[in-house]
Amino acid sequence: MTRDEILAFFERRLELWRRHDAAGLAADHAEDSLVQSPTQAIQRGREAIASVYRVWFTAFPDYQFNQEEIIIDGDRVAVIARIVGTHAGEFFGMPPSGRKFECRVVFVYSVRDNLIVHERRILDFTGILLQVGILKAKPA
């Protein structure tokens, strides 16, 4: 993919994030694509990857993916973003707390033939769990 094709690809994905389109986001992955995430470990294949998106969109119905920067190096792409949402649905077995979270993330992709073949998500999952009240911080 050329630099311009990659930029267009990720610009189109922004609209899928805005619409909470789990199937559309998963369709951008190759059939045997792999996603590594601190929230769902390793997921392989479009259906498993779609379920990762659905977990977030269900738990946080107002989920926002705010892309801030894209770094492209050949077929490797790093997307730096800020995610925010309100815990209004079940999340890892925990009932909704009504609390908001905000977290900076970096998603690192390998792309080939207009598809994502590998994705690594880097985020402060413990920080999110603290913000929504699933984990409690112990006072110092």
Side-chain angles (χ1 to χ4, degrees), residues 26-38:
D28 283 341
H29 291 261
E31 284 289 340
D32 62 345
S33 183
L34 179 81
V35 172
Q36 295 174 281
S37 170

Side-chain angles (χ1 to χ4, degrees), residues 1 6 72-77 109-112 115 117-118:
M1 295 174 68
I6 290 170
I72 301 169
D73 182 22
D75 67 351
R76 306 238 328 139
V77 180
Y109 301 91
S110 294
V111 294
R112 186 173 40 246
L115 293 170
V117 295
H118 183 265

Side-chain angles (χ1 to χ4, degrees), residues 44-84:
R44 184 179 294 276
R46 286 185 181 145
E47 186 49 42
I49 292 167
S51 73
V52 173
Y53 291 113
R54 284 192 298 271
V55 164
W56 285 89
F57 297 153
T58 300
F60 305 97
D62 62 346
Y63 182 96
Q64 294 176 31
F65 183 89
N66 301 298
Q67 188 170 289
E68 296 175 346
E69 185 175 356
I70 296 179
I71 301 167
I72 301 169
D73 182 22
D75 67 351
R76 306 238 328 139
V77 180
V79 174
I80 302 165
R82 184 175 53 86
I83 58 174
V84 296

Side-chain angles (χ1 to χ4, degrees), residues 13-14 16-17 20-29 49 53 57 116:
R13 283 181 60 80
L14 276 178
L16 298 172
W17 281 107
H20 293 186
D21 185 346
L25 287 162
D28 283 341
H29 291 261
I49 292 167
Y53 291 113
F57 297 153
I116 297 165

